[in-house]
Each structure stands twice: as C-alpha cells, then as structure tokens.
Amino acid sequence: MKNQIFLNKGLFLVFVFILILSGCGKKTQGPLIESDAPNKVYIEPGKYDEFYAFVSGGFSGQMAVYGLPSGRLFREIPVFSQNPENGYGYTEETKPMLETTHGFIPWDDSHHCELSMTDGVPDGRWLFINGNNTPRIARVDLKTFKTVEIIEIPNSAGNHSSPFITPNSEYVVAGTRFSIPIENKDVPISSYKDNFKGAISFLKVDKNTGEMGIAFQLITPPFDYDLSHAGKGPSDGWFFFSCYNSEQAHTLIEVNASQKDKDYIMAVNWKKIEELVAQGKGTEMPTEFYHNKYEDKTHSAKSEIIKKVKTLKPEDIAGNIFYIPCPKSPHGADVDPSGEFIVGGGKLASVIPVFAFSKMVKAIEGKEFEGEVAGIPVLKYESVLSGEVKNPGLGPLHTEFDDKGHAYTSCFVSSEIVKWDVKTKEVIDRIPVYYSVGHLLIPGGDSKKPYGKYLLAMNKITKDRFLPTGPELTQSAQLIDISGDKMKILLDFPTVGEPHYAQGIPAEIISKNSQRIYKIEENQHPYVTKAEKDARVERKGNEIHVYMTAIRSHLAPDNIEGVKVGDVVYFHLTNLEQDWDIPHGFTIMGNENSELLVMPGETCTIKWTPKTAGMYPFYCTDFCSALHQEMQGYLRVSAKDSNVPLTFSIGKKEQ
Amino acid sequence: MKSRIAIFSISLILISVYFIPVWRIDLEAPQYPEGLGMNIWINKITGDLNTINNLNHYIGMKSIEPDSIQELKIMPYVLAFLILIGIVVSISSKRILLLGWVLFFIILGIAGGVDFYLWEYDYGHNLSPDAAIKIPGMSYQPPLIGTKELANFTASSLPDAGGYILIAFGILSVLILFYELKFKKN
C-alpha cells in the first residue's frame, strides 16, 4: 500500500499540475449550513448511532470503532500492536497473542476489516482483520470487542489480499502481496521468475466458535496479490483476487510493474477445490506458523505451533483457476450485491471494467482463452466483460454498492467518489473528497444487503481539513449521504492511524449482544482470587506470586514485605466487581511493563522485576470510585541477602 | 357454599407467593441510570445484592447476608400454615375458624411490617464507626413504603408481584368475613 501511495501521490502531483495549467484547479465547496447536514449527523446526547463502523488502523496495527452518522470514536481495539493503555501485549495473558515464528512482534500494519457473514449478510458475530507486514489474520469477538485469535500465514510475505470472507463465513482468505520462494530460502533476487511464488491461503472458519485453521494454499505465479472478494448468489463458490505486477518485476516496481496494459483478476472455484482437497489432492509441506488463541474463561491466550500446510499447484486444480485480464494494476476486486458483476479497480486504468459472472462461466465452457500463465488459462477480456465505465475519474481503487443498483468507486488521483449504474455502466454523479480517497465504506456495502444510506470515504491526505498539528496530521474520513440522487457531504472527522478498508453494520445487531461483565464464578484463570479472604502472596524460588483482588476502593493485600532484589514478581489482579463499567487498574513504581486495566470479573497478570531495595508504591490507575485515590499500597523490597520474612496484609490496625 | 369456594381459591392462589418476590427496593443514582434493585422473596433476596453491599460499605452499613436473616427461614412455613388453615376453613364451615384465620393474617401483616421497619432501621442506623463516608445526622433507612432520597440515591420500597397478591388476599379475606358475618347471621 505504501508503495502505491507514493506512486499515486506522484500521479496526483502531475494531475494537479495539469489542472492548474488548464486553469480549473480550484475546488469549491459551498457552506453546509444551508443544507440539513447538521441534523443528519447530530446524535442527541445519550442517544445512539444507527451504525457501527469498524475501521482498520493501518500502521497503528489496531482497529477503531466509530458510530455513524456521528463519526464519534467509541473505542480502539488493540489487535496487532501492544497497547499500554490496557496491557494488551504486555500482560502475561496476552503476550502469546503477538508471538510469531519471527518472535514477539509488537506491531503490524492492519488493513482490511471483514465481518463474519450468514447468507451473504454481516451477522455481527466476529470481525476479521489482516496483518500485512508479518502475515497474520486476527479475529475479534464482537460480544467483548476483544482480539481472541491471531493466526500466522506461512509462505506469505505481506498479507494484503485478506481477510475477505465467503457468504457463510466458510473461509477467510489470505493472498500474498509479496511473492517469495516457497519455502522461503536464500536465493538471488534476480531469480525471481524461477524461484518466487504467490501463495493464496484459504482459512476454514469454524461455524460455531469462529476459530480459524489453514485448510489449503494455492501456489500461483509470482504476482502481487492485492485485494479480493468472494462471489455470492450465482457466483457463490468462487473467489476473485486482483493482482498487479504480472510483469514479474522485482525492482523499481513503480515502473516495471506498470508496463502491461492489463494485469489480472484471478478467479478461483473454492468449492470445487475444497472437494479436491477432501479427495486427497495437494501436497502436505512442512512449515511452521503460530496459532494464538485467547479464551474468555481463563482470560488467557495460548500459542500453538503448527508444522504443516496443504499446498496445491495450478495443475492440481486445473479447471478451477483462471485469470481474467484487467486494466491496469487493479486494486479492488468487488462483487455487486446480486453476485453477477465483478468490478476491477485498475489504479492506472482509464476505465472501470465490469465483468459478468455468467459470461465468465460461458467463456470457460467455450474455452475462450487468449493464452495461459504457468498452466493457468487466461480468459479473453471481451468474453468476460459486461462493460466498461468510461471516464470514471483517475486512479479508481475500490468499489462498494448500495441497495438500488448503484456502485460507488473511489478515485484516488482525481480525489473523488464516482457513482455509476451497475447495469448501464453510466456515471450518474460524482463528488469531490478531501483528499485522495483510498477505500470506501457503505454499511453492508460488500454484502448481499447493503444499507445504502451513508458512504464513508477514508482519505489518505488531510492537509488543511482540520486545525494543524505540525507536520504529522491525522487522517480524515468523510461521511457522504447517498440516500438521494445526488451525493451530499455531511461530515469530516479525524481517524486513528491510517484507515484502509472498513465495515459497517446496523448497531442493533451488535449492541444487543454486547457483554457487560465477566462472571466471577466462571473465571477459570489459574491465578484467580475469587474472594478477598483468599488474597495472598506466595514464593516459589525467586518467583513471587501476588494473588491480589480489587474492589472499590482497595487492593488486597496492600502491604507486602519480604520481596528481595532478584525476585520476579507477578501481580495476578482479579477485579471482584460484578458491576457494569467498573474496571480497576494497577501499576507499581518503576514498572517496565504497562499498567493493567482489569474488567469486572477478569484476572490479569503483570510481571515486575525490582532492581533496588526500597519502598515501591502501587495503586489503581482507573478512577473507579470516590475513594479511588485511596486505592493504593506499598511493597517493600529488601536486599538480596536480607532475612525479612514474606508477609502481606490489609487493614491491620496500628499497634 | 360460595364463601367456602372463595376461601379455598384464595388459599390456593397464595401458593404462587413461593415463586415470585414479595417486596422490592429500587435504587437510582446519576451513575446508575439502569438502576439497582433488590427483590425480597419469602425465602431469599435476589437482585444486585453484591453491588449494593459493596456500595454500602462506604457508609459503614452492614452487609446484607440473606443466610443470616431468620425471617427468610421462617416465612415459608408461616405461609404454608396460612394456606393449610385456609383449606381447613373452606372444608369445615366453622365461622370462628374463619375469623381466627383472617385475624391471624392481619396480625401477621402488621408484624411483618413492624419487623421490616426494624430491619430497615437497624441497617440504616447501625453504621460502622470506621466508615469512610460519615455525614453528621445522616441515616440511610429506606422508607417502609414509598420513595426517599438517601445521599446520591433515590430509594423506593414497594410491593413486588407477591406483595400485591398478599394485599389482594388480605382484602378478599376480610370481604369474605364481612359477607359471612352480615348476610348469613342465621
């Protein structure tokens, strides 16, 4: 994505130059106040938004949750990056979530959110999001808004074409943006065409638990797989992956991967391939990848290393994989709500090609091929094409749909959203955005049932839209009303990180299931303390385990003595509250880890290694109650050779 | 005859009081828009008891422990006795028994009210001297029935479904007694 931004920023400059030369470079925007925009986005205090928007954080590695139409930020869910605010990735319980074969990775580049679906419609159970840099997919449970699973993708190197989902959440996919040698090894970069391959992974999703597992990988030619979407309705059973760099360049990709007029959309019949795999096709290859799972009952994550993966070569799946030529360096591969039309977003193309699934099926039957790449037939462009949207705008990237037969395409270079008719391919309307839009979001806009009321444009360049904050600016989202014939801009709001793809869903589907507390009687954490009377401190060699409880307004125990330099102290804090929105925090002076933020009924552990003898205060970091400031204690650290006995207490009266 | 059927029926209806709460105390505060509630059954207390106890510790109120409240152990037997006598009254036609039954219930009602008031008084006034929050002259006794402001909470004490059944039972039994005494003098 970064490369594309540089490329497109370059193009943008060229384009602006042309605009200035032609004397029409000034964009104007009338005042909004005459319109009814304020009423449309104003949510009365205490009232709720109509939609949840789940927006990827890009280089923040996280995901942000907003309300639409207000644009209010509710929460940032830590996914791939450590979050000292609540201890994610710092606590003993959550550290395993960020383990990979490359070690503990505290960060990633999270790009695309995808909601789980039932019958092609978002069902609000889980949300999947990809880690682009160290290839991974995470799953967030939408009852708790917690990251509960992260699985590493072997043989991949840049998990960009991910984690798009099939209509009944059978599979999420992971197409690699970088092709690499499979298995990864030390070869000259110049041997790219011979040694490099692009792996496309299909991850089976358990329909009850949501748990992922890599079912199989397709080993395809060394292109850069960019985005994808599953077919639905008539095209259910197929998956469509856009790819660029069909030139198979390995240097100065900006130029060398932009030579051909057309790259491809790869069409894959996953239902047939699933059958072939069930029949035993494919090769099991040794590999290694991490599968990290978090369990609510134990409030803890565990890592498992998996050592094999099933791979299939094009010849193993002949007749079930095809390339559709697509102009030029396509980004989006988007399927309309009917499932008949597949839209390619050719970043460098002057048209938007719209392919028809029914024509693709006929072309395959009639063997209307123009050639083949590595044994994969390339269909004739015209045979699959339903039509082209002419003069859509420059740099078409990504398309979403409404429920009235319209498509909306983001145009990065000309910085606008273009609305067009899916059947006639006529451009109906266009609206400028500020500036250089990447992805779009329409709630349900990539499903069978879009809610065609709002469109959210996620812009890559912000410049003068908000009060300046030095060279580093927030990124900007813009809410557009698409309920009428003309698109109308309603609202600008800043975003967390750099949003790429996002998902929206009617709020009610999720809010009604949102969990308020963890039941203390269900807590199976190995270090839980279920009652204050059981709070204690235990020594195991040089390990000190503090079984601590928190309830308004004290931590128990709050006086601890007998810890020595050289000891490793684990604070296992259980929040005994069973009351909604009463978390407790915890930290101790000189703590090299983060704080803890413990939800009612939850147990969290932070590790602390005191280095010098002395007095170490600890306290609750969340303003929990009127006596929050009194929620504090002391831990005494003695010299290594001291003979201070290990003691602990709370509420001991002075002698 | 009609009276006997009526007495029999209202006695049976009393059985439902085993399955629904009799009284409720509701608390509302700015930070508890969803409210906190305590439901008193004839043999137990349910609702947000833990949360209420936890909040009460700030003012030094004793923890409400259903296990240590004797009334909750006795009440199921008292109710069973009331139902049993009702059935006996409906079978025999002794008016004196009916009178005794109604009087027993009325005394029981008054005793229950007094007991509940004393219980509330005890919890509201017997506060720990070590309490973090002490407001001079302030006690935290909820009303016997009705609504009252207690610090940041608005406390209301009202009959729950079972309580309304008991009230209805009381009114009906008195009416039956009047009917028997007035129109069937012979």
Side-chain angles (χ1 to χ4, degrees), chain A residues 552-553 577 579 625 627 653, chain B residues 32 51 54-55 57-58 130 132:
Chain A
R552 283 164 287 174
S553 302
E577 305 279 355
D579 198 359
S625 58
L627 296 170
K653 296 271 180 195
Chain B
Y32 284 96
T51 306
N54 187 36
L55 292 171
H57 94 272
Y58 287 117
D130 291 338

Side-chain angles (χ1 to χ4, degrees), chain A residues 20-199:
Chain A
I20 290 166
L21 279 186
S22 62
C24 57
K26 205 164 171 66
K27 282 178 179 152
T28 51
Q29 186 197 343
L32 287 175
I33 204 71
E34 297 158 20
S35 75
D36 53 356
N39 286 333
K40 286 195 163 158
V41 300
Y42 179 70
I43 302 292
E44 248 181 83
K47 294 276 190 303
Y48 295 142
D49 278 284
E50 192 180 347
F51 295 97
Y52 277 105
F54 297 97
V55 181
S56 71
F59 43 61
S60 87
Q62 318 292 48
M63 180 175 63
V65 186
Y66 300 88
L68 296 182
S70 73
R72 296 181 293 186
L73 173 66
F74 301 142
R75 197 160 130 62
E76 192 181 357
I77 304 175
V79 182
F80 295 111
S81 298
Q82 283 179 301
N83 188 35
E85 191 180 319
N86 69 355
Y88 179 83
Y90 290 96
T91 65
E92 295 304 299
E93 290 81 4
T94 54
K95 270 167 27 184
M97 291 302 281
L98 304 180
E99 286 293 343
T100 74
T101 52
H102 305 274
F104 179 84
I105 306 281
W107 170 90
D108 212 312
D109 183 14
S110 61
H111 274 227
H112 311 120
C113 302
E114 185 84 328
L115 287 161
S116 58
M117 297 217 199
T118 301
D119 297 326
V121 180
D123 57 22
R125 297 204 286 167
W126 310 299
L127 191 136
F128 300 88
I129 183 165
N130 63 325
N132 191 35
N133 178 51
T134 304
R136 287 175 282 178
I137 295 180
R139 179 169 59 89
V140 173
D141 187 332
L142 293 177
K143 276 209 290 285
T144 55
F145 282 51
K146 254 192 179 176
T147 305
V148 293
E149 187 180 3
I150 295 182
I151 189 167
E152 198 180 355
I153 313 293
N155 297 332
S156 177
N159 182 29
H160 195 275
S161 182
S162 182
F164 299 96
I165 199 162
T166 55
N168 280 300
S169 304
E170 295 97 334
Y171 291 95
V172 293
V173 299
T176 189
R177 175 254 184 100
F178 291 97
S179 287
I180 47 163
I182 291 175
E183 61 204 87
N184 206 348
K185 59 183 179 234
D186 170 17
V187 295
I189 298 171
S190 58
S191 70
Y192 186 93
K193 284 185 188 175
D194 300 325
N195 279 327
F196 290 47
K197 293 282 181 235

Side-chain angles (χ1 to χ4, degrees), chain A residues 454-506:
Chain A
Y454 304 112
L455 179 151
L456 191 68
M458 286 159 280
N459 305 323
K460 302 294 185 193
I461 297 172
T462 309
K463 297 209 165 172
D464 58 354
R465 297 303 287 182
F466 304 114
L467 286 173
T469 55
E472 189 175 339
L473 301 173
T474 176
Q475 302 222 359
S476 141
Q478 289 186 298
L479 188 73
I480 293 166
D481 179 357
I482 55 165
S483 58
D485 290 338
K486 296 285 287 176
M487 292 182 277
K488 280 184 218 155
I489 192 156
L490 296 177
L491 183 71
D492 272 24
F493 63 90
T495 58
V496 174
E498 185 208 354
H500 292 256
Y501 191 40
Q503 292 266 280
I505 185 168

Side-chain angles (χ1 to χ4, degrees), chain B residues 46-144:
Chain B
T46 58
D48 307 303
L49 204 56
N50 283 338
T51 306
I52 292 169
N53 277 337
N54 187 36
L55 292 171
N56 285 346
H57 94 272
Y58 287 117
I59 51 167
M61 190 185 280
K62 280 191 288 187
S63 181
I64 302 167
E65 303 294 344
D67 286 347
S68 61
I69 298 173
Q70 289 307 314
E71 287 86 337
L72 297 175
K73 296 202 171 79
I74 301 162
M75 275 309 288
Y77 297 105
V78 175
L79 184 67
F81 184 69
L82 194 65
I83 294 166
L84 204 70
I85 299 297
I87 293 165
V88 170
V89 170
S90 69
I91 293 166
S92 84
S93 46
K94 293 230 169 73
R95 226 171 267 165
I96 184 73
L97 258 183
L98 174 65
L99 180 66
W101 186 57
V102 173
L103 282 177
F104 174 65
F105 179 74
I106 290 169
I107 291 164
L108 197 66
I110 292 166
V114 169
D115 184 59
F116 186 51
Y117 177 85
L118 290 175
W119 185 78
E120 285 184 331
Y121 184 92
D122 178 37
Y123 277 87
H125 289 81
N126 257 333
L127 305 170
S128 162
D130 291 338
I133 299 172
K134 276 184 267 190
I135 305 173
M138 179 79 184
S139 67
Y140 302 91
Q141 180 179 359
L144 187 60

Side-chain angles (χ1 to χ4, degrees), chain A residues 353-623:
Chain A
V354 182
F355 302 102
F357 178 73
S358 54
K359 289 185 81 173
M360 184 191 91
V361 173
K362 273 199 203 110
I364 292 169
E365 276 168 9
K367 295 201 181 337
E368 294 168 47
F369 304 141
E370 61 171 46
E372 61 169 54
V373 180
I376 300 171
V378 179
L379 293 159
K380 282 189 179 146
Y381 179 65
E382 287 75 17
S383 303
V384 187
L385 190 73
S386 165
E388 289 173 338
V389 181
K390 307 280 186 201
N391 303 315
L394 295 176
L397 280 188
H398 171 227
T399 302
E400 292 241 301
F401 305 89
D402 69 11
D403 47 350
K404 301 174 205 81
H406 303 126
Y408 300 79
T409 302
S410 58
C411 293
F412 180 89
V413 179
S414 54
S415 204
E416 62 187 332
I417 309 280
V418 181
K419 175 183 178 182
W420 49 276
D421 188 297
V422 175
K423 287 227 166 69
T424 65
K425 281 75 176 170
E426 297 286 330
V427 172
I428 302 167
D429 190 21
R430 53 181 77 230
I431 189 167
V433 284
Y434 307 89
Y435 306 91
S436 292
V437 57
H439 278 276
L440 305 174
L441 154 70
I442 292 171
D446 68 341
S447 78
K448 267 188 179 173
K449 194 178 156 192
Y451 301 86
K453 199 167 173 185
Y454 304 112
L455 179 151
L456 191 68
M458 286 159 280
N459 305 323
K460 302 294 185 193
I461 297 172
T462 309
K463 297 209 165 172
D464 58 354
R465 297 303 287 182
F466 304 114
L467 286 173
T469 55
E472 189 175 339
L473 301 173
T474 176
Q475 302 222 359
S476 141
Q478 289 186 298
L479 188 73
I480 293 166
D481 179 357
I482 55 165
S483 58
D485 290 338
K486 296 285 287 176
M487 292 182 277
K488 280 184 218 155
I489 192 156
L490 296 177
L491 183 71
D492 272 24
F493 63 90
T495 58
V496 174
E498 185 208 354
H500 292 256
Y501 191 40
Q503 292 266 280
I505 185 168
E508 224 254 333
I509 297 174
I510 287 176
S511 63
K512 65 174 191 236
N513 295 324
S514 197
Q515 197 166 316
R516 291 185 171 185
I517 59 160
Y518 298 99
K519 287 189 182 143
I520 187 87
E521 62 269 20
E522 289 174 3
N523 184 325
Q524 292 171 16
H525 191 291
Y527 291 97
V528 65
T529 314
K530 290 197 183 184
E532 193 172 308
K533 64 177 168 48
D534 301 326
R536 65 196 183 277
V537 183
E538 286 176 3
R539 175 183 283 280
K540 273 186 205 154
N542 74 332
E543 279 184 15
I544 302 281
H545 291 272
V546 183
Y547 293 76
M548 188 179 272
T549 61
I551 195 157
R552 283 164 287 174
S553 302
H554 53 275
L555 295 157
D558 64 1
N559 280 196
I560 301 170
E561 300 193 5
V563 174
K564 295 172 197 170
V565 173
D567 285 343
V568 179
V569 184
Y570 293 91
F571 295 97
H572 309 286
L573 181 64
T574 301
N575 180 352
L576 294 177
E577 305 279 355
Q578 291 289 278
D579 198 359
W580 190 22
D581 197 20
I582 309 287
H584 288 293
F586 176 84
T587 195
I588 186 159
M589 190 172 79
N591 171 18
E592 289 170 296
N593 264 310
S594 75
E595 67 143 355
L596 291 175
L597 189 63
V598 190
M599 295 303 124
E602 191 185 19
T603 304
C604 297
T605 304
I606 206 84
K607 181 177 153 186
W608 174 64
T609 315
K611 294 186 182 58
T612 49
M615 201 51 69
Y616 291 86
F618 55 84
Y619 67 100
C620 170
T621 47
D622 182 288
F623 204 114

